[in-house]
Amino acid sequence: PRTGFRERLVLRLAAHRTHAVIAVSEEVAAQTNALAPRVGAPSVIANGLPLPAMRSAAHREERSRWGIPTDALVIGCLARFDPVKNLPLLLRAIAALHAARPELNVHLLLAGDGTQRAELVQLARALQIEARVTMPGMVADPSAVLAVLDVCVLTSTTEGTPMSLIEA
């Protein structure tokens, strides 16, 4: 596991109030085995997702709901706005892509929220791409975001089980 001493200590202390541990994958279960002496091995309940036909002829019209041009190449990410998600890298990539290929009319849809929101807004402004970035905040229905994306990306420096990519 990639956890340090402090993380393992916190997990062990939490185990005293824990009756069971559930993980979304075998890999995550392996990382939480620090709790095993107290509560037993984690149970794995894999994320099972229905596969609806989310993309339809109307998906481009849905873009207007987010203020995105219907002819744009929409790249997006559903994430917590946190340093581990490395969203500044994504903003820089969008700026570089737009500079290299302006005819693509690239647009970034960042759904989520967190401590880095102000920093991300400021970076988009500094990169002069704020008109190409939409940050609607938390969304109740992630499938509504996924339905309008042409490309879903993940720029995290580390992930256990990247649920946003699995869902995409």
Side-chain angles (χ1 to χ4, degrees):
R2 290 182 249 168
T3 56
F5 172 76
R6 278 191 228 168
E7 291 85 0
R8 287 192 308 271
L9 179 62
V10 168
L11 287 173
R12 287 187 186 274
L13 290 173
H16 291 291
R17 299 186 146 266
T18 302
H19 299 287
V21 176
I22 299 172
V24 296
S25 71
E26 294 294 339
E27 292 80 13
V28 172
Q31 290 181 359
T32 58
N33 273 335
L35 296 177
R38 168 71 174 94
V39 296
S43 297
V44 176
I45 300 177
N47 186 26
L49 297 169
L51 298 173
M54 292 191 310
R55 292 187 62 94
S56 67
H59 83 277
R60 290 199 180 274
E61 285 71 36
E62 278 293 307
R63 293 175 176 193
S64 63
R65 171 180 169 195
W66 306 101
I68 299 171
T70 58
D71 65 338
L73 171 66
V74 183
I75 298 171
C77 182
L78 293 102
R80 184 177 70 253
F81 294 1
D82 183 83
V84 73
K85 299 301 182 179
N86 203 11
L87 295 172
L89 173 67
L90 181 53
L91 288 170
R92 289 185 189 94
I94 294 297
L97 180 58
H98 174 64
R101 301 281 307 274
E103 73 276 9
L104 291 178
N105 191 20
V106 67
H107 197 94
L108 176 63
L109 177 56
L110 281 179
D113 211 348
T115 59
Q116 277 194 310
R117 175 176 277 282
E119 176 187 334
L120 296 171
V121 168
Q122 184 178 14
L123 180 58
R125 191 173 300 124
L127 293 169
Q128 299 179 347
I129 59 167
E130 66 270 24
R132 298 188 169 281
V133 178
T134 299
M135 291 189 230
M138 297 300 291
V139 294
D141 181 13
S143 67
V145 174
L146 294 172
V148 302
L149 299 182
D150 293 306
V151 179
C152 184
V153 298
L154 179 70
T155 54
S156 299
T157 56
T158 184
E159 280 287 337
T161 301
M163 298 311 297
S164 63
L165 285 186
I166 293 169
E167 291 166 356

